[in-house]
Amino acid sequence: MDIAKLQKQLQAEHKALDQKFKFISELQTLMSKHGQSADDLLAILTAEPAADVAPAKKRGRKAGVKKAGPGIKKARVASPAKTRKKMAPRPLRSFKNPKTGQVTETRAPQVDKVIKTWAQELKVDWRSLEI
């Protein structure tokens, strides 16, 4: 084997051992600071979580709310109803085809098929057809 490769391998192993030693020494200082022994630490690390302790909250559905299956209808539970604010309806806008003089009214001109076809035929933006 090449000596350079062996030196690199030994340096990598030495670095890993240094990190392990540093971790162990820091852990021992913490244990002595808090008056704990290695057996106490082992008991803490191997202990199973208690059943009476609530798990950390997760994002998503609220606890206890189960998702209904595809064939199951949800039963409405009597709860204080939240009133939703209704949005004001969009204003009614008028558009005119300059070639034919035909006028159309819509609340959503960006999706209106008639206005889109007029704009494509005339090769203009649909906003320019508004009266």
Side-chain angles (χ1 to χ4, degrees):
M1 278 210 192
D2 189 34
I3 293 175
K5 285 184 182 178
L6 287 174
Q7 284 179 336
K8 285 183 181 180
Q9 184 180 359
L10 283 174
Q11 286 176 348
E13 290 175 4
H14 180 69
K15 191 174 183 179
L17 284 173
D18 280 346
Q19 288 177 342
K20 287 181 185 178
F21 179 73
K22 184 179 176 185
F23 174 75
I24 290 171
S25 62
E26 288 177 356
L27 187 61
Q28 286 175 341
T29 8
L30 273 174
M31 287 170 34
S32 63
K33 178 181 174 183
H34 294 288
Q36 299 291 325
S37 68
D39 294 333
D40 296 334
L41 180 64
L42 188 61
I44 291 170
L45 293 175
T46 57
E48 293 185 25
D52 60 333
V53 177
K57 288 189 175 185
K58 295 181 182 177
R59 297 178 76 173
R61 286 195 308 266
K62 293 180 183 175
V65 178
K66 295 188 178 183
K67 189 175 179 183
I72 302 171
K73 292 184 179 180
K74 291 183 181 180
R76 292 200 173 227
V77 179
S79 63
K82 292 182 181 178
T83 56
R84 294 182 67 185
K85 292 182 182 177
K86 275 199 163 183
M87 292 179 56
R90 292 182 180 181
L92 192 62
R93 295 164 67 178
S94 299
F95 294 86
K96 183 177 181 180
N97 186 338
K99 282 189 175 179
T100 63
Q102 184 182 359
V103 176
T104 185
E105 293 180 338
T106 182
R107 296 189 189 279
Q110 63 273 20
V111 295
D112 192 277
K113 291 180 181 178
V114 175
I115 296 172
K116 276 187 176 182
T117 55
W118 289 352
Q120 285 176 351
E121 288 172 5
L122 300 170
K123 297 179 183 173
V124 295
D125 187 31
W126 61 265
R127 292 175 190 91
S128 64
L129 300 174
E130 189 169 12
I131 300 175

